[in-house]
Amino acid sequence: MITIARHTPLSLHVVRLSGELTAAQFFAAYAAIAREPNWARADTFYIVDEDVRLKGSDGKALLDQLQVINRDVFKPLDVYVLRRAAWICYAPRAWPFIEYWLSDRHSRDGLQSEFCGGATLDAARQLFEDAEVAAVAAGGDFELLAAFD
């Protein structure tokens, strides 16, 4: 399942990937984000749960397709400051895919985003304030915007 949630007071989003995922779920999530540009502009924590697994797709081939869509969604955004994104991966077998996704990504790649990542939420402190990391850890005060299962 892919969920997108918003913490309005802190202007944060959390995108959570859990369980068995299909290409269709990723495509549906990107279609929703494309319809809601403010979702794409938000500082975001991407949480990859320990139980995540990809069904019926070659992971890297799917990521290549998603990179094209990602660029189409993020490139035209007017972001006046850098968007922050933390990738927190609790699934060791998914790390190679996270590394592949983030390879050659940086604040000057035209997508106005800066990234950090790690195996725990503490890794997000490179870019995010303690209160923001604490809010994500607590999980409260987030409004579910969309779910794809």
Side-chain angles (χ1 to χ4, degrees):
M1 173 182 281
I2 299 172
T3 59
I4 302 171
R6 172 178 54 209
H7 190 289
T8 301
L10 293 176
S11 299
L12 288 177
H13 282 194
V14 170
V15 175
R16 183 173 296 274
L17 289 78
S18 62
E20 190 170 78
L21 300 175
T22 66
Q25 289 169 298
F26 284 103
F27 296 138
Y30 267 107
I33 292 167
R35 287 189 305 270
E36 298 288 344
N38 286 330
W39 294 4
R41 288 183 184 97
D43 292 331
T44 304
F45 283 72
Y46 296 90
I47 309 293
V48 181
D49 286 338
E50 189 172 359
D51 67 342
V52 76
R53 61 198 176 285
L54 187 59
K55 178 184 178 187
S57 292
D58 170 22
K60 288 188 177 178
L62 175 59
L63 290 177
D64 289 341
Q65 289 179 295
L66 293 173
Q67 282 286 17
V68 172
I69 296 168
N70 186 67
R71 188 164 290 285
D72 290 346
V73 168
F74 283 90
K75 186 90 169 164
L77 295 178
D78 262 342
V79 178
Y80 299 107
V81 295
L82 286 178
R83 179 183 162 273
R84 300 172 296 161
W87 281 87
I88 308 304
C89 183
Y90 297 113
R93 69 188 167 281
W95 262 115
F97 297 106
I98 303 300
E99 289 172 342
Y100 185 80
W101 179 256
L102 294 177
S103 66
D104 298 325
R105 296 294 310 275
H106 49 77
S107 59
R108 295 173 306 282
D109 68 358
L111 302 182
Q112 301 98 4
S113 297
E114 190 62 54
F115 300 92
C116 65
T120 68
L121 278 172
D122 284 336
R125 294 181 197 283
Q126 297 172 54
L127 295 177
F128 290 88
E129 301 292 325
D130 288 342
E132 295 168 319
V133 175
V136 172
D141 299 325
F142 280 86
E143 167 194 7
L144 183 64
L145 299 175
F148 309 93
D149 58 358

